[in-house]
Amino acid sequence: MRQGPQAGFATPDTGAGFRREMKTIARQSSVFFAGTIFTTASSYVFKIYVARKLGAETLGVFALGASIIGFLGPFADAGLSAAAGRYVAVYRGAGRMDALRGFLGRSLFLVLVLAASLSAGCVLAAGWFANRLYHTPELAGYMPLFGALLLLTTLTGFYGQVLAGLRDVARRTVITSFIASPLMIVFAVILLARGGGLRGYIVAQLASAVVTLLLLVVVARRLTPPAARLSFAPSPPLEREVVYYAATLCGSNILNFMLGQVDKVLLGIFLAVRQVGIYSIVAAMLAFVPIILQTVNQIFAPTVAELHSRGEMALIGRLYRTLTKWVLALTLPLVMVILGFAPLLMGLFGPDFVAGWPVLVIGTLGQLANCAAGSVGFLLLMSGNQRRLIRVQLVMSVAKLLFSVALIPIMGMVGAALVGALVTLGSNWWMLVEVRRVLGISPQRKEYQALALPTAATAAAVLLLCWLPYPSRFALAYLGATLILTYIIFLCGMLLYGLNEDDRHILATAKARLLAIWNPAT
């Protein structure tokens, strides 16, 4: 039986609610987006420096260590970090301060115990990981550092989700993007310049993580209502619903690791560490593609949880459709530049990395499908339909594992990228079906059709710019200018082709936000 907004949910006029929620999303997302752009630009230049300094083989060793803590991460927080993004918002919105205090205190204790135990396990099992699993003996010496990194990243992830649940992504972004990221870059450049090598690179990440954690703890305590702050007073136990939700999310995070990281693990097992290093750079590049979607998800996810608890399904649907259209619109120019300049982009990291450009093209197309579907995973997760999400992830994880084992020994990095892109496409299509079935929400074809003309004009411009000659020493500047020009062409095409009422409201909100930043006195 269809369970859409008609099934027990009120469907009032959503106009006022849409404007209110969109204003909140724009305010929070604008700061997160600014931080993401800043981090993306600085990280790209920094990764070029690191790649040229360390080389593909050493970066491969780092990627193998990162894959180990990536696998242990879901067990280290048992799904409680992701649960914080939902239940902090739910408890705070309902005024249940005692339940919120119990959740924060007991969750933090469990996360500390689990993360510390697994960090110690990284040290004890260093030889097995290095010699038995990856056949890379030099990895063993770095495992204590990776263990410490696991502990710190787990705790920062927990407190970051607490701030998301408190619906203050802006402060979190200031800490993680404008403070922690530059600090890590400065520390790493100093240590690498002094010959610190891979050890110095990891130590820089540890130092930055310590600063990030301390700042997140201070801000989270200030934003938490006094009645819900951690104290020595007896606190209520975690509710059964929370335990079940966290356990489900732990399984979901493990499957997410399978979907996102199993390719690196299998590359480390089947191929040379040098190819793992090249693939890790491609993966870092691909992480930049869905930055608009990630920006929206940071505040849209807790918004869904709060609105769903009030039964405002029509408003959720309207927000989803509008935001998905703009996520895709603001991602398409970036995708076209990556597709057109893939060999040049990879060549900036050094001659060894040019071989990864086909992998970059395939992975970018997969991420485009991810952005076109929008926040479907969070719609299922934050509406209490996590079991459906788990089912999708489970089937797709098994499919990715089986096809990766079959194709990586034959096709190498290209096989891994092809499997990843197809799994991303299949996962998002399946989640779209589930969202339409249980929530009665789906994108509208006319929203995508409105992007056809701007996309065609922008694609033509990128093709022309690809063929124009330019001095090789100015390649990075040429790429930056091309990216800016493609966004101008695309957005002008949207303005000329026509905007609906919701689009005009988004533009008006964005304009007001920019004016407020430019002239705070007004």
Side-chain angles (χ1 to χ4, degrees):
M1 181 175 178
R2 181 185 173 104
Q3 299 178 28
Q6 294 83 11
F9 291 109
T11 57
D13 178 22
T14 62
F18 177 84
R19 290 188 292 272
R20 180 186 66 251
E21 296 298 336
M22 190 59 70
K23 185 176 181 180
T24 300
I25 292 171
R27 183 177 66 251
Q28 296 289 326
S29 295
S30 62
V31 179
F32 183 84
F33 179 68
T36 302
I37 291 297
F38 173 78
T39 304
T40 298
S42 58
S43 294
Y44 182 70
V45 176
F46 175 64
K47 286 182 185 301
I48 293 175
Y49 171 78
V50 172
R52 290 180 175 271
K53 199 76 175 176
L54 296 180
E57 187 167 343
T58 304
L59 279 178
V61 175
F62 177 80
L64 296 178
S67 71
I68 294 171
I69 64 174
F71 172 71
L72 296 176
F75 299 98
D77 75 351
L80 290 167
S81 294
R86 179 182 183 186
Y87 283 98
V88 169
V90 170
Y91 288 149
R92 184 169 176 264
R96 299 178 58 192
M97 295 299 113
D98 198 44
L100 178 56
R101 181 170 61 87
F103 174 83
L104 292 175
R106 294 181 181 274
S107 295
L108 178 60
F109 175 77
L110 289 172
V111 168
L112 271 171
V113 171
L114 291 171
S117 300
L118 290 172
S119 296
C122 284
V123 180
L124 296 175
W128 184 86
F129 284 124
N131 299 313
R132 296 288 185 88
L133 181 63
Y134 287 131
H135 311 291
T136 308
E138 56 266 38
L139 175 62
Y142 299 106
M143 285 310 298
L145 295 177
F146 281 114
L149 195 59
L150 171 63
L151 174 62
L152 290 171
T153 53
T154 301
L155 292 173
T156 55
F158 176 77
Y159 274 101
Q161 286 298 316
V162 168
L163 287 182
L166 293 169
R167 299 189 69 178
D168 201 328
V169 178
R171 282 186 175 90
R172 185 185 72 178
T173 302
V174 170
I175 294 171
T176 58
S177 296
F178 293 112
I179 298 177
S181 181
L183 270 179
M184 192 276 289
I185 292 175
V186 170
F187 291 155
V189 169
I190 292 174
L191 292 173
L192 288 173
R194 294 174 64 88
L198 180 56
R199 189 173 300 277
Y201 182 50
I202 302 173
V203 168
Q205 296 192 10
L206 287 170
S208 175
V210 170
V211 175
T212 304
L213 178 60
L214 292 175
L215 292 175
L216 287 173
V217 169
V218 171
V219 173
R221 179 170 177 80
R222 288 180 180 176
L223 292 177
T224 302
R229 290 175 182 170
L230 298 178
S231 67
F232 292 104
S235 59
L238 293 175
E239 296 179 351
R240 181 176 299 180
E241 177 188 353
V242 176
V243 173
Y244 175 75
Y245 186 81
T248 305
L249 285 181
C250 181
S252 175
N253 289 336
I254 294 170
L255 293 175
N256 272 331
F257 171 84
M258 295 288 292
L259 288 170
Q261 302 293 328
V262 71
D263 46 1
K264 299 185 185 67
V265 175
L266 293 175
L267 284 169
I269 294 173
F270 291 122
L271 303 180
V273 69
R274 178 178 173 274
Q275 290 181 283
V276 180
I278 297 172
Y279 194 87
S280 70
I281 288 294
V282 175
M285 292 282 292
L286 293 177
F288 297 152
V289 177
I291 59 172
I292 305 297
L293 178 60
Q294 294 167 2
T295 299
V296 169
N297 284 343
Q298 295 301 311
I299 190 63
F300 185 51
T303 300
V304 171
E306 188 172 325
L307 294 177
H308 184 267
S309 67
R310 299 202 300 259
E312 299 186 41
M313 297 304 300
L315 178 54
I316 292 176
R318 185 173 175 182
L319 287 169
Y320 164 72
R321 285 186 288 271
T322 302
L323 290 171
T324 299
K325 174 184 177 180
W326 280 92
V327 164
L328 181 58
L330 294 175
T331 301
L332 278 167
L334 174 62
V335 166
M336 285 184 274
V337 170
I338 292 176
L339 296 180
F341 292 90
L344 174 60
L345 283 166
M346 293 304 299
L348 292 173
F349 294 94
D352 289 346
F353 295 90
V354 177
W357 77 262
V359 180
L360 179 60
V361 169
I362 296 170
T364 299
L365 293 174
Q367 288 301 321
L368 179 62
N370 184 28
C371 294
S375 308
V376 283
F378 281 102
L379 282 173
L380 292 173
L381 187 62
M382 293 297 174
S383 63
N385 290 288
Q386 62 271 14
R387 292 174 62 182
R388 295 177 181 272
L389 177 61
I390 288 285
R391 184 167 61 238
V392 174
Q393 293 173 325
L394 178 59
V395 173
M396 289 300 172
S397 295
V398 173
K400 183 171 185 179
L401 178 61
L402 294 177
F403 283 108
S404 295
V405 169
L407 292 183
I408 287 177
I410 301 172
M411 302 177 65
M413 294 185 295
V414 173
L418 184 61
V419 172
L422 291 175
V423 166
T424 299
L425 178 63
S427 298
N428 280 280
W429 175 81
W430 192 350
M431 285 188 286
L432 277 170
V433 172
E434 294 291 345
V435 166
R436 182 168 61 247
R437 180 179 299 159
V438 299
L439 301 177
I441 296 173
S442 62
Q444 294 180 348
R445 183 177 299 178
K446 64 179 181 180
E447 302 290 350
Y448 294 121
Q449 290 174 343
L451 304 178
L453 182 60
T455 299
T458 306
V462 170
L463 286 174
L464 175 62
L465 291 167
C466 285
W467 287 100
L468 290 179
Y470 56 86
S472 58
R473 64 180 181 275
F474 296 121
L476 189 57
Y478 187 78
L479 280 171
T482 298
L483 185 62
I484 293 172
L485 180 60
T486 54
Y487 269 101
I488 291 173
I489 294 172
F490 192 93
L491 293 175
C492 287
M494 286 193 67
L495 291 173
L496 292 174
Y497 194 68
L499 304 171
N500 60 31
E501 180 184 350
D502 290 345
D503 294 333
R504 287 190 289 271
H505 176 71
I506 287 179
L507 290 177
T509 302
K511 180 181 177 181
R513 182 64 181 164
L514 290 173
L515 290 175
I517 294 173
W518 181 262
N519 187 10
T522 60

